[in-house]
Amino acid sequence: MIRLPKTFHMFDDEVVLYVDKYVGNNRLAVMAESTKGEPYGVLSVNLPEESCLCDYEFFAKNYSENEELFQLAMKTGMFECIGFCKGSLY
């Protein structure tokens, strides 16, 4: 796992994003943890191999329980929304 350089605050805790690869299809996986090692969620979604993505692209879940995580991750400036995004932020 690779730790991304920027952190943000969520639920009164500092959150770190890590990237890795999903087993089976090697898609990019983006996970959130507190700096204390507590898991907060998974930003990425592992969709079928038929979907065309570059090695540095991933599908992100930006609704339901992931809505705040998505918005905070986008505000770090590390990500760019290049497809459909729900809501008025992007």
Side-chain angles (χ1 to χ4, degrees):
M1 266 196 299
I2 299 171
R3 180 182 169 152
L4 296 179
K6 295 185 182 179
T7 62
F8 53 87
H9 289 283
M10 187 172 179
F11 305 119
D12 297 325
D13 215 343
E14 191 172 14
V15 176
V16 177
L17 293 174
Y18 290 91
V19 294
D20 206 345
K21 298 285 185 170
Y22 285 107
V23 175
N25 62 5
N26 252 6
R27 298 246 184 217
L28 192 62
V30 182
M31 296 139 302
E33 289 185 357
S34 75
T35 54
K36 298 172 188 167
E38 297 176 26
Y40 273 103
V42 179
L43 182 60
S44 58
V45 179
N46 192 11
L47 293 178
E49 291 186 36
E50 293 80 26
S51 304
C52 296
L53 293 176
C54 295
D55 289 342
Y56 56 87
E57 294 177 322
F58 65 95
F59 293 104
K61 181 178 179 183
N62 61 355
Y63 59 92
S64 191
E65 74 280 357
N66 265 31
E67 189 171 355
E68 185 176 7
L69 175 59
F70 174 78
Q71 290 176 1
L72 291 169
M74 289 299 291
K75 287 179 183 178
T76 66
M78 292 187 294
F79 305 103
E80 178 184 0
C81 185
I82 59 173
F84 173 79
C85 287
K86 175 186 169 194
S88 59
L89 278 179
Y90 307 99

Coordinates of all heavy atoms in Angstrom, one line a residue:
M1 N 0.8 -1.2 0.0 CA 0.0 0.0 0.0 C 0.9 1.2 0.0 O 1.9 1.3 0.6 CB -0.9 0.0 1.2 CG -2.3 -0.6 1.0 SD -3.5 -0.2 2.2 CE -2.8 -0.9 3.7
I2 N 0.4 2.2 -0.7 CA 1.1 3.5 -0.8 C 0.3 4.6 -0.1 O -0.9 4.8 -0.4 CB 1.4 3.9 -2.2 CG1 2.3 2.8 -2.9 CG2 2.1 5.3 -2.3 CD1 2.4 3.0 -4.4
R3 N 0.9 5.3 0.8 CA 0.2 6.4 1.5 C 0.2 7.7 0.6 O 1.3 8.1 0.2 CB 0.9 6.7 2.9 CG 0.2 7.8 3.6 CD 0.9 8.1 4.9 NE 0.4 9.3 5.5 CZ 0.4 9.6 6.8 NH1 0.8 8.7 7.6 NH2 -0.1 10.7 7.2
L4 N -0.9 8.3 0.4 CA -1.0 9.5 -0.3 C -0.5 10.7 0.6 O -0.7 10.7 1.8 CB -2.4 9.8 -0.9 CG -2.8 8.7 -1.9 CD1 -4.2 9.0 -2.4 CD2 -1.8 8.7 -3.1
P5 N 0.0 11.8 0.0 CA 0.7 12.8 0.7 C -0.2 13.8 1.6 O 0.3 14.4 2.5 CB 1.5 13.6 -0.3 CG 0.7 13.4 -1.6 CD 0.2 12.0 -1.5
K6 N -1.5 13.9 1.3 CA -2.3 14.8 2.0 C -3.3 14.1 2.9 O -3.8 13.0 2.6 CB -3.1 15.7 1.0 CG -2.1 16.6 0.2 CD -2.9 17.5 -0.7 CE -2.0 18.3 -1.6 NZ -2.7 19.2 -2.5
T7 N -3.6 14.8 4.0 CA -4.6 14.2 4.9 C -5.8 15.2 5.1 O -5.7 16.4 4.6 CB -4.0 14.0 6.3 OG1 -3.5 15.3 6.9 CG2 -2.8 13.0 6.3
F8 N -6.8 14.8 5.7 CA -8.0 15.7 6.0 C -8.7 15.2 7.2 O -8.4 14.1 7.7 CB -9.0 15.7 4.8 CG -9.4 14.4 4.3 CD1 -10.5 13.8 4.9 CD2 -8.8 13.8 3.3 CE1 -11.0 12.5 4.4 CE2 -9.2 12.5 2.8 CZ -10.3 11.9 3.4
H9 N -9.5 16.1 7.8 CA -10.2 15.7 9.0 C -11.6 15.2 8.7 O -12.3 15.8 7.9 CB -10.3 16.9 9.9 CG -9.0 17.3 10.5 ND1 -8.4 16.5 11.5 CD2 -8.0 18.2 10.2 CE1 -7.2 17.0 11.8 NE2 -7.0 18.0 11.0
M10 N -12.0 14.1 9.4 CA -13.3 13.5 9.3 C -13.7 12.9 10.6 O -12.8 12.2 11.2 CB -13.3 12.5 8.2 CG -14.6 11.9 7.8 SD -14.4 10.8 6.3 CE -16.0 10.2 6.1
F11 N -14.9 13.2 11.1 CA -15.3 12.6 12.4 C -14.3 12.9 13.5 O -13.9 12.1 14.3 CB -15.5 11.1 12.3 CG -16.5 10.7 11.3 CD1 -16.1 9.9 10.2 CD2 -17.8 11.2 11.3 CE1 -17.0 9.5 9.3 CE2 -18.7 10.8 10.3 CZ -18.3 10.0 9.3
D12 N -13.8 14.2 13.6 CA -12.8 14.6 14.6 C -11.5 13.8 14.6 O -10.9 13.6 15.6 CB -13.5 14.5 16.0 CG -14.6 15.5 16.1 OD1 -14.6 16.6 15.5 OD2 -15.6 15.2 16.8
D13 N -11.1 13.3 13.5 CA -9.9 12.5 13.3 C -9.2 12.9 12.1 O -9.8 13.4 11.1 CB -10.3 11.0 13.3 CG -9.2 10.1 14.0 OD1 -8.1 10.6 14.2 OD2 -9.5 9.0 14.3
E14 N -7.9 12.7 12.0 CA -7.1 12.9 10.8 C -7.2 11.7 10.0 O -6.9 10.6 10.5 CB -5.7 13.3 11.2 CG -4.9 13.8 10.0 CD -3.6 14.4 10.4 OE1 -3.1 14.1 11.5 OE2 -2.9 15.0 9.5
V15 N -7.5 11.8 8.7 CA -7.7 10.7 7.8 C -6.6 10.7 6.7 O -6.2 11.8 6.2 CB -9.1 10.7 7.1 CG1 -9.2 9.6 6.1 CG2 -10.1 10.6 8.2
V16 N -6.1 9.5 6.4 CA -5.1 9.3 5.4 C -5.6 8.4 4.3 O -6.4 7.5 4.6 CB -3.8 8.6 6.0 CG1 -2.8 8.3 5.0 CG2 -3.3 9.4 7.2
L17 N -5.3 8.7 3.1 CA -5.7 7.8 2.0 C -4.5 7.0 1.5 O -3.4 7.4 1.5 CB -6.2 8.7 0.8 CG -7.5 9.4 1.0 CD1 -7.8 10.3 -0.2 CD2 -8.7 8.5 1.3
Y18 N -4.8 5.7 1.3 CA -3.9 4.8 0.8 C -4.3 4.2 -0.6 O -5.5 4.1 -0.8 CB -3.7 3.6 1.7 CG -3.0 4.0 3.0 CD1 -3.8 4.4 4.1 CD2 -1.7 3.9 3.2 CE1 -3.2 4.7 5.3 CE2 -1.1 4.2 4.4 CZ -1.8 4.6 5.4 OH -1.2 5.0 6.6
V19 N -3.4 3.9 -1.4 CA -3.7 3.3 -2.7 C -3.1 1.9 -2.8 O -2.0 1.7 -2.3 CB -3.4 4.1 -3.9 CG1 -4.2 5.4 -4.0 CG2 -1.9 4.4 -4.0
D20 N -3.8 1.0 -3.4 CA -3.3 -0.4 -3.6 C -4.0 -0.9 -4.9 O -4.6 -0.1 -5.6 CB -3.6 -1.2 -2.4 CG -2.6 -2.4 -2.2 OD1 -1.9 -2.7 -3.2 OD2 -2.6 -3.0 -1.2
K21 N -3.9 -2.2 -5.1 CA -4.6 -2.8 -6.3 C -5.6 -3.8 -5.8 O -5.3 -4.5 -4.8 CB -3.5 -3.4 -7.2 CG -2.5 -2.5 -7.8 CD -3.2 -1.7 -8.9 CE -2.1 -0.8 -9.6 NZ -2.6 -0.2 -10.8
Y22 N -6.7 -3.9 -6.5 CA -7.7 -5.0 -6.2 C -7.1 -6.3 -6.7 O -6.5 -6.3 -7.7 CB -9.0 -4.7 -6.9 CG -9.8 -3.6 -6.2 CD1 -10.0 -2.4 -6.8 CD2 -10.5 -3.9 -5.0 CE1 -10.8 -1.4 -6.2 CE2 -11.3 -2.9 -4.4 CZ -11.4 -1.7 -5.0 OH -12.2 -0.7 -4.4
V23 N -7.3 -7.3 -5.9 CA -6.9 -8.7 -6.3 C -7.7 -9.1 -7.5 O -8.9 -8.9 -7.5 CB -7.0 -9.7 -5.1 CG1 -6.6 -11.1 -5.6 CG2 -6.1 -9.2 -4.0
G24 N -7.1 -9.8 -8.5 CA -7.9 -10.3 -9.6 C -7.8 -9.5 -10.8 O -7.5 -10.1 -11.9
N25 N -8.0 -8.2 -10.7 CA -8.0 -7.4 -12.0 C -7.0 -6.2 -11.9 O -6.9 -5.4 -12.8 CB -9.4 -6.9 -12.4 CG -10.0 -6.0 -11.3 OD1 -9.4 -5.6 -10.4 ND2 -11.3 -5.6 -11.6
N26 N -6.3 -6.1 -10.8 CA -5.3 -5.0 -10.6 C -5.8 -3.6 -10.8 O -5.0 -2.7 -11.1 CB -4.1 -5.3 -11.6 CG -2.9 -5.8 -10.9 OD1 -2.9 -6.0 -9.7 ND2 -1.8 -5.9 -11.7
R27 N -7.1 -3.4 -10.6 CA -7.6 -2.0 -10.6 C -7.1 -1.2 -9.4 O -6.8 -1.8 -8.3 CB -9.1 -2.0 -10.6 CG -9.7 -2.7 -11.8 CD -10.4 -1.7 -12.6 NE -11.0 -2.4 -13.7 CZ -11.1 -1.9 -14.9 NH1 -10.7 -0.7 -15.1 NH2 -11.7 -2.6 -15.9
L28 N -7.1 0.1 -9.5 CA -6.6 1.0 -8.4 C -7.7 0.9 -7.3 O -8.9 1.1 -7.5 CB -6.5 2.4 -9.0 CG -5.8 3.4 -8.1 CD1 -4.3 2.9 -7.8 CD2 -5.8 4.7 -8.7
A29 N -7.2 0.7 -6.1 CA -8.1 0.7 -4.9 C -7.6 1.9 -4.0 O -6.4 2.1 -3.8 CB -7.9 -0.6 -4.1
V30 N -8.6 2.7 -3.6 CA -8.3 3.9 -2.7 C -9.1 3.7 -1.4 O -10.3 3.6 -1.4 CB -8.7 5.2 -3.4 CG1 -8.3 6.4 -2.5 CG2 -8.0 5.3 -4.7
M31 N -8.3 3.6 -0.3 CA -8.9 3.3 1.0 C -8.6 4.5 2.0 O -7.5 5.1 1.9 CB -8.4 2.0 1.6 CG -8.8 0.8 0.7 SD -7.5 -0.4 0.5 CE -6.2 0.4 -0.2
A32 N -9.5 4.7 2.9 CA -9.3 5.8 3.9 C -9.1 5.2 5.3 O -9.9 4.3 5.7 CB -10.5 6.7 3.9
E33 N -8.1 5.6 6.1 CA -7.9 5.2 7.4 C -7.6 6.4 8.3 O -7.0 7.4 7.8 CB -6.7 4.2 7.5 CG -6.9 2.9 6.9 CD -5.7 2.0 7.2 OE1 -4.7 2.4 7.7 OE2 -5.8 0.8 6.8
S34 N -7.8 6.3 9.6 CA -7.4 7.4 10.5 C -5.8 7.2 10.6 O -5.3 6.2 10.3 CB -8.0 7.2 11.8 OG -7.5 6.2 12.6
T35 N -5.2 8.2 11.1 CA -3.8 8.1 11.4 C -3.4 7.1 12.5 O -2.3 6.7 12.6 CB -3.2 9.5 11.7 OG1 -3.9 10.1 12.8 CG2 -3.2 10.5 10.5
K36 N -4.5 6.7 13.2 CA -4.3 5.7 14.2 C -4.5 4.3 13.7 O -4.5 3.3 14.4 CB -5.3 5.9 15.4 CG -5.1 7.3 16.1 CD -6.2 7.6 17.0 CE -6.0 9.0 17.5 NZ -7.2 9.4 18.2
G37 N -4.8 4.2 12.4 CA -5.0 2.9 11.7 C -6.5 2.4 11.7 O -6.7 1.2 11.3
E38 N -7.4 3.2 12.1 CA -8.8 2.8 12.1 C -9.4 3.0 10.6 O -9.2 4.0 10.1 CB -9.7 3.6 13.0 CG -9.3 3.4 14.5 CD -10.1 4.3 15.4 OE1 -11.2 4.7 15.0 OE2 -9.6 4.7 16.4
P39 N -10.0 1.9 10.1 CA -10.6 2.1 8.7 C -11.8 3.0 8.7 O -12.6 3.0 9.6 CB -11.0 0.7 8.3 CG -11.1 0.0 9.6 CD -10.2 0.6 10.6
Y40 N -11.9 3.9 7.7 CA -13.0 4.8 7.5 C -13.9 4.4 6.3 O -15.0 4.7 6.2 CB -12.6 6.2 7.4 CG -12.4 6.9 8.7 CD1 -11.2 7.1 9.2 CD2 -13.5 7.3 9.4 CE1 -11.0 7.7 10.5 CE2 -13.4 7.9 10.6 CZ -12.1 8.1 11.2 OH -12.0 8.7 12.4
G41 N -13.3 3.8 5.3 CA -14.0 3.4 4.2 C -13.2 3.2 2.9 O -12.0 3.4 3.0
V42 N -13.8 2.8 1.9 CA -13.1 2.6 0.6 C -13.7 3.6 -0.4 O -15.0 3.6 -0.6 CB -13.3 1.2 0.1 CG1 -12.6 1.0 -1.2 CG2 -12.8 0.2 1.1
L43 N -12.9 4.5 -0.9 CA -13.4 5.5 -1.9 C -13.6 4.9 -3.3 O -14.6 5.2 -3.9 CB -12.4 6.6 -2.0 CG -12.7 7.8 -2.9 CD1 -14.0 8.5 -2.4 CD2 -11.5 8.8 -2.9
S44 N -12.8 3.9 -3.6 CA -12.9 3.3 -5.0 C -13.9 2.2 -5.0 O -14.3 1.7 -4.0 CB -11.5 2.8 -5.4 OG -11.1 1.8 -4.5
V45 N -14.4 1.9 -6.2 CA -15.3 0.8 -6.5 C -14.7 -0.1 -7.5 O -14.2 0.4 -8.6 CB -16.7 1.4 -7.0 CG1 -17.6 0.2 -7.2 CG2 -17.3 2.3 -6.0
N46 N -14.7 -1.4 -7.3 CA -14.1 -2.3 -8.2 C -15.1 -2.8 -9.2 O -16.0 -3.6 -8.9 CB -13.5 -3.5 -7.5 CG -12.6 -4.4 -8.3 OD1 -12.3 -4.0 -9.4 ND2 -12.2 -5.5 -7.8
L47 N -15.1 -2.2 -10.4 CA -16.1 -2.5 -11.4 C -15.5 -3.5 -12.4 O -14.3 -3.7 -12.5 CB -16.6 -1.2 -12.1 CG -17.4 -0.3 -11.2 CD1 -17.8 1.0 -12.0 CD2 -18.7 -1.0 -10.7
P48 N -16.4 -4.1 -13.2 CA -15.9 -5.2 -14.2 C -14.8 -4.7 -15.1 O -14.6 -3.5 -15.4 CB -17.2 -5.5 -15.0 CG -18.3 -5.0 -14.2 CD -17.8 -3.8 -13.4
E49 N -14.0 -5.7 -15.5 CA -12.9 -5.4 -16.4 C -13.3 -4.8 -17.7 O -12.5 -4.3 -18.4 CB -12.1 -6.7 -16.6 CG -11.4 -7.2 -15.3 CD -10.5 -8.3 -15.6 OE1 -9.9 -8.4 -16.6 OE2 -10.4 -9.2 -14.7
E50 N -14.5 -5.0 -18.1 CA -15.0 -4.4 -19.4 C -14.9 -2.9 -19.4 O -14.9 -2.3 -20.4 CB -16.4 -4.9 -19.7 CG -16.6 -6.3 -20.0 CD -16.6 -7.2 -18.7 OE1 -17.0 -6.6 -17.6 OE2 -16.2 -8.3 -18.7
S51 N -14.9 -2.3 -18.2 CA -14.8 -0.8 -18.2 C -13.3 -0.4 -18.5 O -12.4 -0.9 -17.9 CB -15.1 -0.3 -16.8 OG -16.4 -0.8 -16.4
C52 N -13.2 0.6 -19.4 CA -11.9 1.0 -19.8 C -11.4 2.1 -18.9 O -11.9 3.2 -18.8 CB -11.9 1.5 -21.2 SG -12.3 0.3 -22.4
L53 N -10.3 1.8 -18.2 CA -9.7 2.8 -17.3 C -8.2 2.7 -17.5 O -7.6 1.7 -17.8 CB -9.9 2.5 -15.8 CG -11.4 2.7 -15.3 CD1 -11.4 2.2 -13.9 CD2 -11.8 4.1 -15.4
C54 N -7.5 3.9 -17.3 CA -6.0 3.9 -17.3 C -5.6 3.4 -15.9 O -6.4 3.3 -15.0 CB -5.5 5.3 -17.5 SG -5.9 6.0 -19.1
D55 N -4.3 3.1 -15.8 CA -3.8 2.6 -14.5 C -4.0 3.5 -13.4 O -4.1 3.1 -12.2 CB -2.3 2.2 -14.6 CG -2.0 1.0 -15.5 OD1 -3.0 0.2 -15.7 OD2 -0.9 0.9 -16.0
Y56 N -4.0 4.8 -13.6 CA -4.1 5.8 -12.6 C -5.6 6.3 -12.4 O -5.8 7.2 -11.6 CB -3.3 7.1 -12.9 CG -3.6 7.7 -14.3 CD1 -4.6 8.6 -14.4 CD2 -2.9 7.3 -15.4 CE1 -4.9 9.2 -15.6 CE2 -3.1 7.8 -16.6 CZ -4.1 8.8 -16.7 OH -4.4 9.3 -18.0
E57 N -6.6 5.7 -13.0 CA -8.0 6.1 -12.9 C -8.7 5.1 -12.0 O -8.4 3.9 -12.0 CB -8.6 6.2 -14.3 CG -8.1 7.3 -15.1 CD -8.7 7.3 -16.5 OE1 -9.0 6.2 -17.1 OE2 -9.0 8.4 -17.0
F58 N -9.8 5.5 -11.4 CA -10.6 4.6 -10.6 C -12.0 5.2 -10.6 O -12.3 6.3 -10.8 CB -10.1 4.4 -9.2 CG -10.1 5.6 -8.3 CD1 -11.1 5.8 -7.5 CD2 -9.0 6.5 -8.3 CE1 -11.2 6.9 -6.6 CE2 -9.0 7.6 -7.5 CZ -10.1 7.8 -6.7
F59 N -13.0 4.3 -10.3 CA -14.4 4.7 -10.1 C -14.5 5.0 -8.6 O -14.1 4.2 -7.8 CB -15.3 3.5 -10.5 CG -15.4 3.3 -12.0 CD1 -14.7 2.1 -12.5 CD2 -16.0 4.1 -12.9 CE1 -14.8 1.9 -13.9 CE2 -16.1 3.8 -14.2 CZ -15.4 2.7 -14.7
A60 N -15.1 6.1 -8.3 CA -15.3 6.4 -6.9 C -16.8 6.4 -6.6 O -17.7 6.9 -7.3 CB -14.8 7.8 -6.6
K61 N -17.1 5.9 -5.4 CA -18.5 5.9 -4.9 C -18.7 7.3 -4.2 O -18.0 7.6 -3.3 CB -18.8 4.8 -3.9 CG -20.2 4.8 -3.4 CD -20.5 3.7 -2.5 CE -22.0 3.8 -2.0 NZ -22.3 2.7 -1.0
N62 N -19.6 8.1 -4.7 CA -19.7 9.5 -4.2 C -21.1 9.7 -3.6 O -21.6 10.9 -3.6 CB -19.4 10.5 -5.3 CG -20.3 10.4 -6.5 OD1 -21.2 9.5 -6.6 ND2 -20.2 11.3 -7.4
Y63 N -21.8 8.7 -3.2 CA -23.2 8.9 -2.6 C -23.3 8.0 -1.4 O -22.4 7.3 -1.0 CB -24.2 8.5 -3.7 CG -24.1 7.1 -4.2 CD1 -24.8 6.1 -3.6 CD2 -23.3 6.8 -5.3 CE1 -24.7 4.8 -4.0 CE2 -23.2 5.5 -5.7 CZ -23.9 4.5 -5.1 OH -23.8 3.2 -5.5
S64 N -24.4 8.1 -0.7 CA -24.7 7.4 0.5 C -23.7 7.6 1.6 O -23.3 8.7 1.8 CB -24.9 5.9 0.1 OG -25.5 5.2 1.2
E65 N -23.2 6.5 2.1 CA -22.2 6.6 3.2 C -20.8 7.2 2.7 O -20.0 7.6 3.5 CB -22.0 5.3 3.9 CG -21.1 4.2 3.2 CD -21.9 3.5 2.1 OE1 -23.1 3.7 2.0 OE2 -21.3 2.7 1.4
N66 N -20.6 7.2 1.5 CA -19.3 7.7 0.9 C -19.4 9.2 0.5 O -18.4 9.8 0.1 CB -18.9 6.9 -0.3 CG -17.9 5.8 0.0 OD1 -18.0 5.3 1.1 ND2 -17.0 5.5 -0.9
E67 N -20.5 9.8 0.6 CA -20.6 11.2 0.2 C -19.6 12.2 0.8 O -18.9 12.9 0.1 CB -22.1 11.7 0.4 CG -22.3 13.0 -0.3 CD -23.8 13.4 -0.3 OE1 -24.6 12.7 0.2 OE2 -24.0 14.6 -0.7
E68 N -19.5 12.1 2.1 CA -18.6 13.0 2.8 C -17.2 12.7 2.5 O -16.3 13.5 2.3 CB -18.8 13.0 4.3 CG -18.0 14.0 5.1 CD -18.3 14.1 6.5 OE1 -19.0 13.3 7.1 OE2 -17.7 15.0 7.2
L69 N -16.8 11.4 2.5 CA -15.5 10.9 2.2 C -15.1 11.4 0.8 O -14.0 11.9 0.6 CB -15.4 9.4 2.3 CG -14.1 8.8 1.9 CD1 -12.9 9.3 2.7 CD2 -14.2 7.2 2.0
F70 N -16.0 11.3 -0.2 CA -15.7 11.7 -1.5 C -15.4 13.2 -1.6 O -14.5 13.7 -2.2 CB -16.9 11.3 -2.5 CG -16.8 11.9 -3.8 CD1 -15.9 11.3 -4.8 CD2 -17.4 13.0 -4.2 CE1 -15.8 11.8 -6.1 CE2 -17.3 13.5 -5.5 CZ -16.5 12.9 -6.4
Q71 N -16.3 14.0 -0.9 CA -16.1 15.4 -1.0 C -14.8 15.9 -0.3 O -14.1 16.8 -0.9 CB -17.4 16.1 -0.3 CG -18.6 16.0 -1.1 CD -19.8 16.6 -0.4 OE1 -19.7 17.1 0.7 NE2 -21.0 16.5 -1.1
L72 N -14.5 15.3 0.8 CA -13.3 15.7 1.5 C -12.0 15.3 0.7 O -11.1 16.0 0.6 CB -13.2 15.1 2.9 CG -14.2 15.6 3.9 CD1 -14.3 14.8 5.1 CD2 -13.9 17.1 4.2
A73 N -12.1 14.1 0.1 CA -11.0 13.6 -0.8 C -10.8 14.5 -2.0 O -9.7 14.9 -2.3 CB -11.2 12.2 -1.2
M74 N -11.9 15.0 -2.6 CA -11.8 15.9 -3.7 C -11.2 17.2 -3.3 O -10.4 17.8 -4.1 CB -13.2 16.1 -4.4 CG -13.7 14.9 -5.1 SD -12.7 14.4 -6.5 CE -12.9 15.7 -7.6
K75 N -11.5 17.7 -2.2 CA -11.0 19.0 -1.7 C -9.5 19.0 -1.4 O -8.9 20.1 -1.3 CB -11.7 19.4 -0.4 CG -13.1 19.9 -0.7 CD -13.8 20.3 0.6 CE -15.3 20.7 0.3 NZ -16.0 21.0 1.5
T76 N -8.8 17.8 -1.4 CA -7.4 17.8 -1.2 C -6.6 18.2 -2.4 O -5.5 18.5 -2.4 CB -6.9 16.3 -0.8 OG1 -7.1 15.5 -2.0 CG2 -7.6 15.8 0.4
G77 N -7.3 18.2 -3.6 CA -6.6 18.5 -4.8 C -5.9 17.4 -5.5 O -5.3 17.6 -6.5
M78 N -5.9 16.2 -4.9 CA -5.2 15.1 -5.4 C -6.0 14.4 -6.5 O -5.4 13.5 -7.2 CB -4.9 14.1 -4.3 CG -3.9 14.5 -3.3 SD -3.4 13.3 -2.1 CE -4.9 13.0 -1.3
F79 N -7.2 14.7 -6.7 CA -8.1 13.9 -7.6 C -8.8 14.9 -8.5 O -9.0 16.1 -8.2 CB -9.2 13.1 -6.9 CG -8.6 12.2 -5.9 CD1 -8.6 12.5 -4.5 CD2 -8.0 11.0 -6.3 CE1 -8.1 11.6 -3.6 CE2 -7.4 10.1 -5.4 CZ -7.5 10.4 -4.0
E80 N -9.1 14.4 -9.7 CA -9.9 15.2 -10.7 C -11.1 14.3 -11.1 O -10.9 13.2 -11.5 CB -9.0 15.6 -11.8 CG -9.7 16.3 -12.9 CD -8.9 16.6 -14.1 OE1 -7.7 16.2 -14.1 OE2 -9.4 17.2 -15.1
C81 N -12.2 14.9 -11.1 CA -13.4 14.2 -11.6 C -13.5 14.3 -13.1 O -13.6 15.5 -13.6 CB -14.7 14.7 -10.9 SG -16.1 13.8 -11.4
I82 N -13.4 13.2 -13.8 CA -13.3 13.3 -15.3 C -14.6 12.7 -15.9 O -14.7 12.7 -17.1 CB -12.1 12.7 -15.9 CG1 -12.0 11.2 -15.5 CG2 -10.8 13.4 -15.5 CD1 -10.9 10.4 -16.2
G83 N -15.5 12.2 -15.1 CA -16.7 11.6 -15.6 C -17.9 12.2 -14.9 O -17.8 13.3 -14.3
F84 N -18.9 11.4 -14.8 CA -20.2 11.9 -14.2 C -20.0 11.9 -12.7 O -19.4 11.0 -12.1 CB -21.3 10.9 -14.5 CG -22.5 11.2 -13.7 CD1 -23.4 12.2 -14.0 CD2 -22.8 10.5 -12.5 CE1 -24.5 12.5 -13.3 CE2 -24.0 10.7 -11.8 CZ -24.8 11.7 -12.2
C85 N -20.4 13.0 -12.1 CA -20.3 13.2 -10.6 C -21.7 13.7 -10.2 O -22.2 14.7 -10.7 CB -19.2 14.2 -10.2 SG -17.6 13.5 -10.4
K86 N -22.2 13.0 -9.2 CA -23.5 13.4 -8.6 C -23.3 14.7 -7.7 O -22.2 14.9 -7.1 CB -24.0 12.3 -7.7 CG -25.2 12.6 -6.9 CD -25.6 11.5 -6.0 CE -26.7 12.0 -5.0 NZ -26.9 11.1 -3.9
G87 N -24.2 15.6 -7.7 CA -24.2 16.7 -6.9 C -23.7 18.0 -7.6 O -23.3 17.9 -8.7
S88 N -23.7 19.1 -6.9 CA -23.3 20.3 -7.5 C -21.8 20.7 -7.3 O -21.4 21.7 -7.8 CB -24.2 21.4 -7.0 OG -24.0 21.5 -5.6
L89 N -21.1 19.9 -6.5 CA -19.7 20.3 -6.3 C -18.8 20.1 -7.5 O -17.9 20.9 -7.7 CB -19.1 19.4 -5.2 CG -19.4 19.9 -3.8 CD1 -18.8 18.9 -2.8 CD2 -18.9 21.3 -3.5
Y90 N -19.1 19.1 -8.4 CA -18.2 18.8 -9.5 C -18.9 18.7 -10.8 O -19.7 17.9 -11.1 CB -17.4 17.6 -9.2 CG -16.7 17.7 -7.8 CD1 -17.3 17.1 -6.7 CD2 -15.6 18.4 -7.7 CE1 -16.7 17.3 -5.5 CE2 -15.0 18.6 -6.5 CZ -15.6 18.0 -5.4 OH -15.0 18.2 -4.1

